[in-house]
């Protein structure tokens, strides 16, 4: 059973990487609205939940809904990508709000881990630095 779950998580991560690449490409191509739509579509396909719901409730509650630390980290990456898009659009307040939520999600993912995740630690520091720069 654990093998099936790990396979599922690996496939989800692969899909997330592809989605983040498409979001980044659209964002760099000045197609911010298209990229923001991709964020919402990715949420539905990866988590089976509306993105708006996942960003309006607190990180602890979202973590309870998602369960697995890798799913929580995946959402944090997606929220961080949206923050980048909002910042490109000039919405510093929105970017800061999203980045704060992404940071809280990553912190919650780390609390739920049995073993340390070096990638998540790097992301935590990066997001914290980006959040400070926005203020």
């Amino acid at each position: 059973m654990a093998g099936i779950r790990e396979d599922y998580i690996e496939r989800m991560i692969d899909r997330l990487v592809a989605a983040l690449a498409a979001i980044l490409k659209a964002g760099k191509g000045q197609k911010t609205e298209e990229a923001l739509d991709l964020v919402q579509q990715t949420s539905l396909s990866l988590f089976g939940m509306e993105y708006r719901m996942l960003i309006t409730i607190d990180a602890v509650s979202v973590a309870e809904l998602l369960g697995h630390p890798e799913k929580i980290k995946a959402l944090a990456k997606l929220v961080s990508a949206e923050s980048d898009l909002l910042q490109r659009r000039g919405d510093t307040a929105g970017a800061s709000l999203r980045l704060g939520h992404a940071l809280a999600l990553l912190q919650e993912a780390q609390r739920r881990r049995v073993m340390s995740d070096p990638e998540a630690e790097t992301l935590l520091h990066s997001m914290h630095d980006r959040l400070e720069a926005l203020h």
Side-chain angles (χ1 to χ4, degrees), residues 46-93:
L46 290 181
F47 311 114
M49 295 180 216
E50 289 287 333
Y51 183 70
R52 184 73 37 218
M53 183 191 76
L54 294 172
I55 60 170
T56 55
I57 58 177
D58 65 282
V60 174
S61 298
V62 172
E64 286 293 319
L65 284 171
L66 297 179
H68 195 283
E70 284 300 317
K71 289 175 82 173
I72 301 164
K73 183 171 79 171
L75 178 60
K77 288 179 177 182
L78 191 61
V79 175
S80 177
E82 184 195 20
S83 173
D84 290 342
L85 294 168
L86 293 173
Q87 187 173 3
R88 282 179 203 253
R89 196 166 70 178
D91 183 358
T92 305

